[in-house]
Amino acid sequence: MRVSIIKESSLIRESLIDNLTGTFPTVKNRVSSILNKLSVPDRTTAVLKAIKNRWFVV
């Protein structure tokens, strides 16, 4: 399973919208959907889960 996660500290929300090609509500909905699928409450926990499961290496 491959997961791409963008931490809020690395890009501002407007930049996320530009990179993911969508409006703010669309991007917010997509991020929420990913977090729900990973069963995590926030992006930080998603990053920690991805590291723990070796979905990517820092």
Side-chain angles (χ1 to χ4, degrees), residues 6-19:
I6 302 171
K7 286 189 67 175
E8 187 171 336
S9 62
S10 65
L11 293 173
I12 59 174
R13 289 180 180 176
E14 290 79 14
S15 184
L16 280 171
I17 293 167
D18 291 341
N19 288 325

Side-chain angles (χ1 to χ4, degrees), residues 2-56:
R2 231 176 181 171
V3 179
S4 295
I5 301 171
I6 302 171
K7 286 189 67 175
E8 187 171 336
S9 62
S10 65
L11 293 173
I12 59 174
R13 289 180 180 176
E14 290 79 14
S15 184
L16 280 171
I17 293 167
D18 291 341
N19 288 325
L20 296 175
T21 313
T23 63
F24 178 72
T26 301
V27 172
K28 187 176 179 181
N29 189 25
R30 289 179 184 170
V31 171
S32 293
S33 177
I34 292 167
L35 296 177
N36 285 333
K37 288 177 183 180
L38 292 173
S39 300
V40 295
D42 54 44
R43 285 177 279 189
T44 301
T45 308
V47 170
L48 294 174
K49 184 172 184 171
I51 293 169
K52 180 180 177 183
N53 289 297
R54 297 180 185 204
W55 294 337
F56 73 90

